[in-house]
Amino acid sequence: MQSERLKRLPPYLFAEIDAKKRAMREKGVDIIDLSIGDPDIPTPKHVIEAFCEGAHDARNHRYPPYNGTQEFREAAVSYLKETKGVDLDPNSEALTLIGSKEGIAHAPLAFLDPGDVVLIPSPGYPVYTTASLLSGCVPYEMPLKKENGFLPDLGSIPKDVLKKAKLIFLNYPNNPTAAVATKDFFKDAVDFAKGNGLVLCHDAAYIDIVYDGYKAPSILEVPGAKDVAVEFYSLSKTYNMTGWRLGFAAGNKGLIESLGKLKTNIDSSATAAVQHGGAVAMTSSQDCVVNACKTYKNRRDVLVEALNKKGWNVVKPKATFYVWVEIPTKEDSRSFASKILEKTGVVVTPGLGFGSAGEGFIRFSVSYPTERIEEAVHRISSL
Ligand SMILES: *Cc1c(COP(=O)(O)O)cnc(C)c1O
């Protein structure tokens, strides 16, 4: 049995590639899967030690506070103050999440009503669309075009769509395009949200995965952003903690309160010992983050330089651990990814999987061991 709600979700597009991958693996082909963004670098030792210490503390064996532990929310706020100069109240403007995906997935349900339109970047993280559909909302795709630096053209959204729109999702540094946004763009986005009565949800999952001296801004650095915006933070990518499930939401008090109210009725916050580890991660030395970025940067360079040697014309991204590559032939993204897999055993993600405007591109993730990326590059070079 399946609800109509679930039936409304878009079809899974990668069955064919999955089947091919499985068949090749069974034949003994050494598959190099670069299709998922999930750090291969272990969680830093001092963070694991803090988890363990938290696990031994009997106070953490009982329910955590619904909105997250005081220690974690204070650490989140002090991290934002330290790294972005943003001032927030840990009690009313920050909320622990069981990974940022959880908060993003609950946002439409907490803020909107059925029939409300949600402005969604395409290509984009698929959860924006699925969460909107599950809440009975209507997604409207804002294409992220190469000629606009993969930023949405807010001025081109039709008036009749804007009339019904209640929420806009943004995500910079961006998955899958690896594009970054300036603070000026964020200022325009905040003005746009204010002018059109929109809630602005900014997904900041890759805010700390940056290269070449680039520093990614928080949307909360824009004066007045707190009037309309909530920002979703993930510890997954910053501290190699995808398996521990921890993130937080920060920003507008009313939005934090609504999201908290919804969550009170669904979950009971992230594991307290994990929140202790997360608090330690955010308040101790950030050298581990700097080192992880160095590793990703080297892999990025190996990959981009090799693809350019083939004449593929790829730019080195300033952030995220993705490389977004325009398909050099006329093939569509699924056929092209399939061809790469068949000929080289390397798995990449077809852009179409991130929305219709992702067609024409494929995504590589460099969250895999350097020698595997070197081997993948070697095989693709002779494609
Ligand atoms: C990985 C990712 C997330 C989810 O992160 P979790 O905190 O692990 O749930 C959210 N948004 C984007 C764009 C991501 O790539």
Side-chain angles (χ1 to χ4, degrees):
M1 194 143 94
Q2 194 178 74
S3 67
E4 290 305 316
R5 223 178 274 119
L6 277 182
K7 286 181 196 155
R8 276 201 297 266
L9 297 186
Y12 182 69
L13 296 173
F14 304 140
E16 198 190 327
I17 289 178
D18 285 352
K20 209 166 266 176
K21 185 165 76 178
R22 222 173 308 121
M24 287 172 73
R25 213 170 245 152
E26 270 162 29
K27 274 201 217 134
V29 178
D30 173 29
I31 298 284
I32 305 178
D33 191 343
L34 305 182
S35 68
I36 300 181
D38 186 355
D40 62 306
I41 305 167
T43 307
K45 245 204 179 96
H46 65 282
V47 178
I48 297 177
E49 275 158 17
F51 289 145
C52 294
E53 183 190 290
H56 285 293
D57 185 340
R59 284 173 301 178
N60 290 335
H61 301 172
R62 311 190 71 200
Y63 285 120
Y66 280 120
N67 61 344
T69 65
Q70 190 73 24
E71 181 200 25
F72 180 76
R73 282 180 285 104
E74 280 175 5
V77 162
S78 81
Y79 153 89
L80 282 180
K81 175 74 186 166
E82 190 78 21
T83 58
K84 308 293 166 196
V86 170
D87 279 302
L88 293 166
D89 171 23
N91 296 316
S92 61
E93 296 174 327
L95 173 70
T96 300
L97 299 173
I98 309 169
S100 69
K101 182 182 190 177
E102 178 264 302
I104 292 163
H106 281 140
L109 193 60
F111 306 148
L112 306 183
D113 290 303
D116 290 342
V117 169
V118 182
L119 306 178
I120 289 170
S122 171
Y125 185 55
V127 180
Y128 312 137
T129 301
T130 53
S132 300
L133 290 170
L134 289 173
S135 313
C137 298
V138 183
Y140 175 83
E141 287 193 351
M142 305 180 287
L144 307 184
K145 295 183 181 155
K146 186 182 166 189
E147 60 265 33
N148 297 330
F150 299 108
L151 298 171
D153 178 4
L154 300 174
S156 74
I157 300 167
K159 286 242 152 36
D160 59 317
V161 171
L162 273 180
K163 236 186 247 160
K164 291 187 200 149
K166 293 282 169 59
L167 189 153
I168 179 168
F169 277 111
L170 291 174
N171 163 223
Y172 293 98
N174 184 260
N175 177 10
T177 68
V180 296
T182 60
K183 222 161 119 180
D184 280 341
F185 172 76
F186 280 164
K187 191 182 171 309
D188 291 347
V190 167
D191 289 345
F192 178 79
K194 284 189 182 178
N196 293 289
L198 305 174
V199 168
L200 198 170
C201 290
H202 184 239
D203 179 350
Y206 295 94
I207 199 159
D208 294 312
I209 310 300
V210 290
Y211 313 115
D212 309 329
Y214 174 72
K215 203 174 162 216
S218 156
I219 206 158
L220 302 174
E221 290 174 42
V222 174
K226 266 203 291 192
D227 298 340
V228 287
V230 63
E231 195 156 54
F232 293 92
Y233 281 85
S234 170
L235 278 78
S236 290
K237 316 290 163 61
T238 304
Y239 304 108
N240 319 318
M241 276 176 56
T242 49
W244 300 92
R245 312 309 304 131
L246 189 62
F248 64 92
N252 181 267
K253 206 168 155 169
L255 296 172
I256 293 291
E257 192 181 337
S258 299
L259 190 55
K261 181 175 175 181
L262 174 69
K263 281 171 56 57
T264 302
N265 288 287
I266 294 178
D267 61 64
S268 301
S269 194
T271 310
V274 169
Q275 294 191 60
H276 176 61
V280 167
M282 287 190 286
T283 50
S284 37
S285 159
Q286 300 298 294
D287 287 355
C288 53
V289 185
V290 173
N291 289 334
C293 289
K294 267 187 207 152
T295 302
Y296 296 137
K297 180 201 171 291
N298 290 338
R299 296 171 181 177
R300 174 203 72 171
D301 291 349
V302 166
L303 177 63
V304 171
E305 282 159 22
L307 296 180
N308 280 337
K309 232 180 241 160
K310 285 180 65 63
W312 282 17
N313 195 18
V314 184
V315 239
K316 284 184 183 171
K318 284 199 182 75
T320 79
F321 41 58
Y322 302 114
V323 176
W324 186 239
V325 175
E326 191 164 14
I327 297 171
T329 62
K330 295 247 176 303
E331 286 152 284
D332 68 73
S333 59
R334 282 194 287 179
S335 328
F336 193 65
S338 243
K339 186 175 88 181
I340 293 180
L341 173 59
E342 266 166 35
K343 295 199 170 166
T344 68
V346 176
V347 188
V348 298
T349 315
L352 182 65
F354 301 102
S356 55
E359 188 50 277
F361 292 82
I362 52 169
R363 191 193 72 176
F364 288 80
S365 168
V366 296
S367 63
Y368 295 90
T370 308
E371 60 275 14
R372 295 301 277 165
I373 290 168
E374 282 167 350
E375 170 62 21
V377 154
H378 172 74
R379 293 187 199 171
I380 289 174
S381 296
S382 53
L383 188 75

